[in-house]
Amino acid sequence: MTEQFPPGSAAAADRETDRLPRPRLAYDTHTWKEIAHLLANLPMALVGFVYVVTVLSTGVFLTVTVVGFPLLAAGLLGARQLGRLERARARKLLGVHVEEPSRMPVRAAGGLLPTLWMALKDPVGWRTALYDFIRLPWGILTFTLTLTSLFVLWPVLPFIARGLANADRAMVRGLLSPSDELERRIAELESDRGVVVDTAAADLRRIERDLHDGAQARLVNLAMGLGLAKEKLLEDPVYAAAMVEEAHGEVKLALQELRDLARGIHPAVLTDRGLDAALSSVASRCTVPVKVTVDLEARPAEAIEGIAYFTVSELLQNVSKHSAAKSASVDVWRAEERLLIQVADDGRGGADLDGGTGMRGLAERLGAVDGLFVIDSPAGGPSVITAELPWRDRRV
């Protein structure tokens, strides 16, 4: 039972004193990091200011000559490296996580003059040069104030350091960060372009391999068999008829392989009747019962429709081969400007991007067109895989 004391009594005062929080040091790890950053501002500002004044100003002054523009471009590239160093220092000491700007696409510029012009109009280099130019007075102020406060105003130094460090954080975010969404979008598109090229090259190699190992080999055997049947036609008509019959069977197999190959490139049912019929056809070939629900008032663009078809086809193949499921479902619908696909099964689960079942390839293919790929497949199941594609209207 807790003792009760009259308010205002000495015992009550002692009780309240016991409830006060324990004292702690004002100079914690974060404070010392901020102080170290502020003290390092002066030498770093001196380096940046001297670089900007000597290299860039010399390049600007010599633009009346031939060497001015290349020197200025090289100076801006060097300013980029100083910016990278400052971002690393801010991450280490101030905890400011600023993404690195994308590299300049020098190879894509297409020659010396386009590359030179791209370097001269680089916004990252110019913003870094401005940052280094205005930092000298700020570095002198922060170094002097922090060093003085460390010996004279040490009780309030943590508050002073926090205020000055916040100003530094604002400068880093404002001048050394990438060009907002545009810069990040350029990097994403460069990566997506590489994925698209690699995917197209892999598809071409697959088609070439299937043709060479399948239909082409059967057609070669067919030609040889018909040649032998032609030679035996007069000598042994019965044997020749048997060879023609065998060749007829080879023709049927070759036609079937060509149909399967054409279906793998772009099935005719998808072109003629749309996703509902095409996905129902894919579901009928799955080894487990699949319920298909397509709720679309209109058909999307051909490219989006094709990606949706092959995504479901690949996922249902994984269900057949790896899930050990008893049933599965496919749902396709439109939500505003997105096409949503959800494939679920009651199998054993455990699917992930590194599982070797083509999941990573699907994720890359969807990411190349601003799509999303989400896997929810705990061990023991069930599995629910959601794909999201941008909706694009079909051209009439």
Side-chain angles (χ1 to χ4, degrees):
M1 181 175 179
T2 304
E3 293 186 86
Q4 300 292 331
F5 300 100
S9 64
D14 293 339
R15 187 78 173 181
E16 292 297 327
T17 303
D18 292 340
R19 293 179 181 177
L20 292 176
R22 295 180 180 179
R24 63 182 180 86
L25 295 175
Y27 290 89
D28 56 4
T29 304
H30 298 290
T31 303
W32 283 115
K33 285 184 177 181
E34 291 174 346
I35 293 173
H37 178 86
L38 295 172
L39 292 176
N41 271 349
L42 181 58
M44 294 299 299
L46 282 172
V47 173
F49 184 81
V50 170
Y51 178 83
V52 170
V53 171
T54 56
V55 178
L56 294 185
S57 62
T58 303
V60 171
F61 179 76
L62 293 178
T63 52
V64 295
T65 65
V66 178
V67 299
F69 288 107
L71 180 60
L72 182 59
L76 290 173
L77 292 176
R80 268 180 166 256
Q81 303 307 314
L82 290 177
R84 177 176 297 180
L85 180 62
E86 284 293 312
R87 282 187 292 272
R89 187 167 72 100
R91 281 193 296 268
K92 185 69 175 179
L93 299 178
L94 298 182
V96 180
H97 298 282
V98 178
E99 296 181 5
E100 292 292 332
S102 60
R103 296 181 179 180
M104 292 182 57
V106 177
R107 294 183 179 179
L112 179 61
L113 291 180
T115 302
L116 180 63
W117 174 244
M118 186 175 297
L120 289 175
K121 65 177 185 178
D122 178 28
V124 176
W126 284 111
R127 287 203 316 272
T128 306
L130 176 62
Y131 176 87
D132 291 330
F133 185 77
I134 66 176
R135 290 285 291 179
L136 182 59
W138 176 253
I140 295 174
L141 174 64
T142 56
F143 178 85
T144 305
L145 186 57
T146 304
L147 188 62
T148 304
S149 301
L150 191 60
F151 296 99
V152 179
L153 302 175
W154 60 268
V156 295
L157 178 56
F159 304 99
I160 297 175
R162 178 57 54 85
L164 296 176
N166 285 339
D168 262 336
R169 291 184 178 97
M171 289 185 189
V172 172
R173 291 192 181 100
L175 293 176
L176 297 184
S177 60
S179 302
D180 299 330
E181 189 64 27
L182 178 60
E183 187 73 24
R184 289 191 294 270
R185 184 62 179 152
I186 291 174
E188 291 175 1
L189 290 176
E190 289 176 352
S191 176
D192 292 344
R193 181 180 60 184
V195 171
V196 171
V197 171
D198 293 340
T199 302
D203 289 341
L204 287 175
R205 288 194 298 268
R206 177 182 59 81
I207 294 170
E208 181 182 5
R209 183 177 63 251
D210 292 343
L211 282 173
H212 182 271
D213 298 339
Q216 181 179 348
R218 290 194 179 278
L219 291 175
V220 170
N221 291 333
L222 174 63
M224 294 176 61
L226 289 176
L228 292 175
K230 181 181 178 181
E231 294 178 357
K232 297 290 184 178
L233 184 59
L234 297 178
E235 298 178 3
D236 190 351
V238 177
Y239 181 70
M243 296 185 66
V244 170
E245 182 66 24
E246 183 181 352
H248 184 254
E250 289 289 330
V251 170
K252 290 181 178 180
L253 292 175
L255 289 175
Q256 183 61 41
E257 289 185 355
L258 289 174
R259 290 193 190 98
D260 294 340
L261 182 60
R263 185 183 296 113
I265 299 173
H266 196 84
V269 65
L270 179 63
T271 303
D272 298 336
R273 301 172 58 188
L275 272 176
D276 195 354
L279 296 183
S280 298
S281 176
V282 172
S284 66
R285 298 194 297 270
C286 189
T287 58
V288 301
V290 181
K291 179 182 178 182
V292 178
T293 304
V294 179
D295 184 14
L296 296 176
E297 296 180 357
R299 295 178 62 178
E302 290 86 346
I304 299 299
E305 194 174 58
I307 294 174
Y309 170 83
F310 288 112
T311 299
V312 174
S313 179
E314 180 72 21
L315 291 176
L316 289 183
Q317 287 183 23
N318 290 337
V319 171
S320 298
K321 296 177 181 178
H322 308 287
S323 70
K326 297 180 180 179
S327 64
S329 63
V330 176
D331 295 285
V332 181
W333 72 98
R334 178 181 179 180
E336 296 180 354
E337 296 303 315
R338 308 293 285 182
L339 177 65
L340 298 177
I341 304 167
Q342 193 170 81
V343 178
D345 67 76
D346 57 359
R348 59 192 175 195
D352 56 34
L353 293 179
D354 299 322
T357 56
M359 295 294 185
R360 182 170 297 278
L362 287 177
E364 291 177 350
R365 178 170 293 190
L366 291 171
V369 292
D370 286 338
L372 295 176
F373 190 73
V374 180
I375 300 176
D376 182 14
S377 181
S383 298
V384 179
I385 300 176
T386 304
E388 183 177 330
L389 289 165
W391 181 272
R392 297 173 188 168
D393 293 328
R394 194 179 190 89
R395 293 182 180 180
V396 180

